[in-house]
Amino acid sequence: MLKIYNTLTGKKEIFKPIVEGKVGMYVCGNTVYDFCHIGHARAMISFDVISRFIRHLGYDLTYIRNITDVDDKIIKRAEENNESTQALTERMIAAQREDELALGNKMPDREPKATEFMQEIIDMVSILVEKGFAYQGASGDVYYRAAKFKDYGKLNNRKLEDMLAGARIEVEAAKEHPADFVLWKRAKEGEVAWDSPWGKGRPGWHIECSAMSTSCLGSHFDIHGGGPDLKFPHHENEIAQSEAATGKDYVNYWMHCGAVRVNNEKMSKSLGNFFTVRDVLAKFNPEVIRYLMVSSQYRSPIDYSDQSLQEAKVALERLYTALRQQSVADSYEPTEFTERFENAMKDDFNTAVAVSVLFELVRELNKAKTESPAMAPKLAAELRVLADLLGLLGQEPEYFLQNSTISEGLSETAIQTLIDERAQARKDKNFARSDEIRDELARQGIELLDSREGTTWTRH
């Protein structure tokens, strides 16, 4: 049975979908005003793996992940760039998809944009106003009455007063209570805006997700996910809005992935340790980044550093080396490795244990190559299938081993030319020149491996 750690209850629970055999999952996506950073990559990859395994278990999954394409940060960045908000968001959405595909993610079933659900947002705010959960302040903005929702704070297991203590709360004269938050913002002159019963404006951040999730999955659905920084206030506010508007429970299982820290510090542009996905892709094969992310269970924090990436590269090279020049069977009978892998994943998607099972399978595969050659292709097939559930081993082994890092050194053509020259030198018994070429390539980070089939190489 699949068990999921539920942030709402603070414990692992046996997963029971609302509708047998079907799963609705909504994950908070990005505000598209800049390129994706490695923290975004953690959430993207985590929920991609979760969606793959849920489908592997036979569930009919509908995976929704929103795009916030109207926001104060977007408006500010568009003004700085002297471009329209639409031009900026379209450019950033395209860049995000490029990054995700490079990282090996499968796209969600649907990616609703906030600007496409403006009527649904306005309708939900109207219901909240009618029910007395919202009001229009003197500023023209519409606020949610946090204190009126009796269960406010249940996701974070804290009372409203406790959450306010020490927190930076935006206090405005137009608010009735410091914890009240904006549902609809009155637009300033020249800003992008939509007509509403409260004047021209745009939605607050929190209401977007409530409207989009319930529109796509219904007022009550199975799983809601996101990054660790969204628990409060974003997800707490989503619950308050949605349950007040519909009168129903909102979500059964809340899931939050762990944070990414850089050299044991919080990632921040001011600290100079802020890395976009594109920064890292310029140095490492995308699967190295993915391996780093799945080598820890999704709720665990990850420390990102050059050393951690190097360790991920070396570990992934071990997996690919086992498949190098190894035939892969078209079919196989699952062994104990599949059972152990699946059991790890059923325990709250414990990819760390699942990855350790892959390495045990590799050891068995390497042993079978000499002791049971007929079994090796089947074990290789099993390795490929299990690794694919994590989005790993999707490249040809030779290609990955030659491109695990992005080097500005020798080109593949230049490397092959030297290998061919070395082969001729060995044929001519010019072993001094042969050794010179090997040493020269080693200095360039190229390791040669000689076998009966010829010479292959790996870049380090």
Side-chain angles (χ1 to χ4, degrees):
M1 292 182 289
L2 175 62
K3 291 182 180 179
I4 296 177
Y5 181 87
N6 190 351
T7 308
L8 186 64
T9 61
K11 60 184 180 182
K12 289 182 189 177
E13 299 176 358
I14 295 173
F15 178 66
K16 296 179 181 178
I18 297 168
V19 178
E20 187 174 355
K22 294 182 179 292
V23 178
M25 181 171 76
Y26 181 91
V27 175
C28 285
N30 296 334
T31 301
V32 286
Y33 71 99
D34 206 343
F35 293 112
C36 297
H37 56 66
I38 56 174
H40 295 140
R42 178 77 194 281
M44 290 172 174
I45 292 171
S46 293
F47 287 99
D48 176 63
V49 170
I50 287 166
S51 68
R52 286 173 187 240
F53 192 70
I54 288 174
R55 289 191 169 110
H56 174 72
L57 293 178
Y59 289 107
D60 179 8
L61 171 69
T62 302
Y63 174 19
I64 309 294
R65 189 187 62 204
N66 77 294
I67 293 173
T68 295
D69 61 343
V70 57
D71 176 87
D72 289 345
K73 292 178 180 178
I74 292 172
I75 293 171
K76 184 174 183 292
R77 181 61 57 83
E79 289 177 351
E80 292 171 352
N81 293 351
N82 195 27
E83 63 181 328
S84 69
T85 56
Q86 183 178 358
L88 171 63
T89 57
E90 287 181 354
R91 186 161 54 83
M92 290 298 104
I93 290 169
Q96 175 180 302
R97 287 178 177 157
E98 287 176 6
D99 290 347
E100 278 211 84
L101 292 173
L103 291 171
N105 280 358
K106 297 181 179 180
M107 301 309 294
D109 296 300
R110 189 175 177 187
E111 287 187 289
K113 300 176 186 175
T115 56
E116 298 170 344
F117 282 76
M118 207 53 63
Q119 189 57 55
E120 289 83 353
I121 291 169
I122 291 170
D123 290 346
M124 182 171 274
V125 176
S126 297
I127 291 170
L128 292 170
V129 171
E130 290 169 9
K131 288 187 171 185
F133 281 95
Y135 61 93
Q136 187 169 20
S139 63
D141 295 344
V142 180
Y143 294 94
Y144 183 91
R145 287 189 173 99
K148 185 176 176 62
F149 185 67
K150 63 181 179 64
D151 289 331
Y152 193 88
K154 66 180 179 179
L155 180 64
N156 291 269
N157 195 28
R158 297 168 67 189
K159 294 181 179 179
L160 178 61
E161 295 76 18
D162 296 335
M163 287 188 287
L164 289 176
R168 291 189 301 172
I169 300 293
E170 184 183 357
V171 179
E172 297 176 6
K175 288 184 179 183
E176 295 177 355
H177 189 282
D180 293 351
F181 54 88
V182 174
L183 299 174
W184 187 262
K185 304 185 75 167
R186 177 68 68 91
K188 297 176 182 177
E189 185 68 30
E191 288 184 342
V192 59
W194 289 260
D195 290 325
S196 81
W198 318 282
K200 284 187 174 293
R202 63 182 184 277
W205 176 36
H206 312 302
I207 195 68
E208 294 178 4
C209 283
S210 287
M212 285 187 281
S213 63
T214 54
S215 295
C216 294
L217 295 173
S219 58
H220 183 205
F221 56 93
D222 299 293
I223 299 172
H224 194 313
D229 56 326
L230 299 181
K231 279 178 61 179
F232 181 81
H234 185 54
H235 288 162
E236 197 71 66
N237 291 349
E238 271 194 68
I239 292 173
Q241 296 164 160
S242 305
E243 296 190 358
T246 67
K248 300 177 182 178
D249 289 338
Y250 180 38
V251 173
N252 284 358
Y253 303 87
W254 284 87
M255 303 178 68
H256 295 89
C257 61
V260 175
R261 297 178 67 82
V262 178
N263 294 318
N264 291 312
E265 290 186 305
K266 184 176 180 180
M267 186 171 63
S268 168
K269 287 185 177 179
S270 62
L271 293 175
N273 64 357
F274 182 89
F275 299 99
T276 68
V277 172
R278 296 186 168 210
D279 291 333
V280 190
L281 289 176
K283 297 179 180 178
F284 287 90
N285 185 295
E287 238 184 71
V288 172
I289 305 171
R290 189 176 185 96
Y291 180 90
L292 175 63
M293 299 298 177
V294 303
S295 60
S296 296
Q297 199 258 5
Y298 77 94
R299 286 191 292 117
S300 301
I302 285 180
D303 186 49
Y304 172 92
S305 64
D306 285 344
Q307 181 181 346
S308 64
L309 278 171
Q310 287 290 346
E311 290 169 354
K313 180 180 82 74
V314 171
L316 195 50
E317 284 175 345
R318 284 179 57 198
L319 297 181
Y320 268 109
T321 299
L323 292 172
R324 195 176 208 170
Q325 298 178 341
Q326 171 61 55
S327 60
V328 179
D330 293 330
S331 62
Y332 67 95
E333 286 293 322
T335 68
E336 61 166 312
F337 295 108
T338 293
E339 181 181 4
R340 290 168 55 203
F341 181 98
E342 290 180 342
N343 285 341
M345 293 295 287
K346 287 176 184 176
D347 183 16
D348 194 30
F349 309 97
N350 196 332
T351 54
V353 175
V355 166
S356 71
V357 174
L358 295 185
F359 281 101
E360 292 182 37
L361 177 51
V362 161
R363 283 195 289 271
E364 190 69 18
L365 169 58
N366 288 334
K367 187 167 69 172
K369 290 177 182 179
T370 55
E371 297 180 7
S372 306
M375 275 297 297
K378 296 178 181 180
L379 291 171
E382 188 171 17
L383 176 62
R384 281 277 199 185
V385 169
L386 296 181
D388 183 64
L389 291 172
L390 304 178
L392 299 176
L393 302 187
Q395 302 175 26
E396 286 301 315
E398 206 64 46
Y399 175 83
F400 175 84
L401 291 168
Q402 295 173 4
N403 296 277
S404 56
T405 55
I406 310 304
S407 173
E408 296 180 358
L410 293 173
S411 67
E412 291 184 27
T413 301
I415 293 168
Q416 192 58 53
T417 298
L418 286 169
I419 290 174
D420 291 342
E421 182 185 344
R422 176 174 174 267
Q424 186 60 48
R426 294 175 73 186
K427 187 177 180 180
D428 296 340
K429 300 188 184 307
N430 187 354
F431 299 113
R433 177 55 182 156
S434 170
D435 290 343
E436 284 177 4
I437 293 172
R438 177 185 284 276
D439 293 343
E440 180 181 343
L441 288 170
R443 286 192 294 273
Q444 297 279 351
I446 307 301
E447 179 185 349
L448 301 183
L449 177 64
D450 295 319
S451 67
R452 292 179 181 177
E453 289 76 22
T455 300
T456 55
W457 58 273
T458 301
R459 197 188 297 271
H460 290 295

